[in-house]
Amino acid sequence: MTASGPSSTPTAPADGPAAAAGRPGPWLVGRPLPVAPGRNLYCFPHSGGSAGEYVRWGRDLPGTQVYGIGLPGRAGRAAEPALPRLDDLVNALLDATSFAAPYVLFGHSLGALVAYEVTRELAARGRPLPERLVVSAFAAPHLPRDAPRLHERPDAELAAALIDRYGGIPRQVARDPELMALFLPAFRADLTLLENYVHRPGAPVPVPIEVFGGDTDVVTADQLRLWSRHSSVSTRLRLFRGGHFYFRDDSEPLLSALDALL
């Protein structure tokens, strides 16, 4: 998790030439390639995460344009009000942004849920779909969630719960109250999205779903396998060595897998 990512510049609405060309807008964080990419990867961050962490993958995915999705109320958009409901977030994103084909969506943890709901809405709108949806370290969305609700807790309680629950918080952040105070609004916004989410039954997406996870994560292989209910094409599970953030100690296996998919 990082505090900020590369900056982006505003663009036209989704039906304008800038969006149609896939150039960055306020939702897209990245470093545009000097030549037209052969493929595009859009990454949805985890709770409390930064789009910039995923943008850096572009250095190891030659020929791939990598964008992180920057949400309002986080990092470079911290001054904007966060959207408390996932439906509103998805609609705002798709009203303002288009994805340049050919493309793949990747989401880690909460980002997997957001990427899935974006794919559902793309299908509902008749928009071009991703070639694949890659969901990482998040149980199938129809499963009940029994974790305690945190987003309405006072800062001190929220900080303690986050340190206890999330192994992805760097030690230097967890030990520094001032740094934790900077990160808490983004965590609170993300937890609000997650804890307000209610899965709506519907048709599986007509997109292959690749399911990734860590072999020692609290999100189990059985929970990941149930993503098979949500694709009408195919699903495939791959486990990597490690926990919830299995790619942080060694990103090469994940990046190799993404490179092959792209």
Side-chain angles (χ1 to χ4, degrees):
M1 180 176 59
T2 57
S4 61
S7 61
S8 58
T9 55
T11 190
D15 57 355
R23 292 200 294 269
W27 293 87
L28 301 182
V29 178
R31 304 179 182 92
L33 298 180
V35 297
R39 53 199 187 172
N40 299 275
L41 176 65
Y42 297 90
C43 299
F44 293 77
H46 55 279
S47 294
S50 164
E53 177 172 356
Y54 300 88
V55 170
R56 287 192 288 273
W57 291 354
R59 296 177 299 197
D60 299 303
L61 294 170
T64 301
Q65 176 65 70
V66 180
Y67 284 116
I69 304 300
L71 304 184
R74 288 88 164 165
R77 304 182 69 185
E80 301 176 43
L83 297 171
R85 298 200 175 273
L86 190 50
D87 286 350
D88 295 335
L89 179 71
V90 169
N91 285 320
L93 168 62
L94 293 184
D95 287 346
T97 308
S98 66
F99 301 118
Y103 73 97
V104 168
L105 299 184
F106 172 91
H108 180 68
S109 196
L110 172 65
L113 179 64
V114 181
Y116 161 70
E117 288 293 346
V118 165
T119 304
R120 295 180 85 186
E121 183 60 21
L122 285 166
R125 295 186 182 201
R127 297 254 298 259
L129 295 172
E131 294 190 339
R132 281 180 171 79
L133 169 63
V134 185
V135 293
S136 171
F138 193 86
H142 67 278
L143 294 175
R145 297 179 304 279
D146 55 6
R149 293 175 64 85
L150 300 177
H151 76 271
E152 294 178 342
R153 293 191 181 183
D155 283 356
E157 290 184 26
L158 176 59
L162 290 172
I163 292 169
D164 181 62
R165 182 191 294 188
Y166 289 91
I169 298 178
R171 291 181 180 179
Q172 67 270 26
V173 174
R175 294 172 178 173
D176 188 326
E178 292 185 0
L179 283 177
M180 278 298 295
L182 292 175
F183 280 96
L184 282 180
F187 269 114
R188 192 181 297 280
D190 287 333
L191 289 170
T192 300
L193 283 180
L194 177 62
E195 293 169 2
N196 284 338
Y197 177 76
V198 177
H199 183 260
R200 300 185 314 276
V205 296
V207 174
I209 298 180
E210 304 286 339
V211 187
F212 291 174
D215 61 4
T216 59
D217 191 7
V218 294
V219 181
T220 68
D222 287 341
Q223 292 173 316
L224 295 173
R225 286 190 186 95
L226 290 174
W227 275 99
S228 61
R229 298 189 185 184
H230 299 282
S231 171
S232 62
V233 182
S234 65
T235 57
R236 180 171 52 180
L237 172 64
R238 175 165 179 173
L239 295 179
F240 299 86
R241 294 184 61 184
H244 195 63
F245 290 94
Y246 57 88
F247 51 82
R248 282 191 169 162
D249 288 337
D250 182 8
S251 62
E252 194 279 331
L254 170 63
L255 293 175
S256 293
L258 287 174
D259 193 40
L261 290 177
L262 288 161

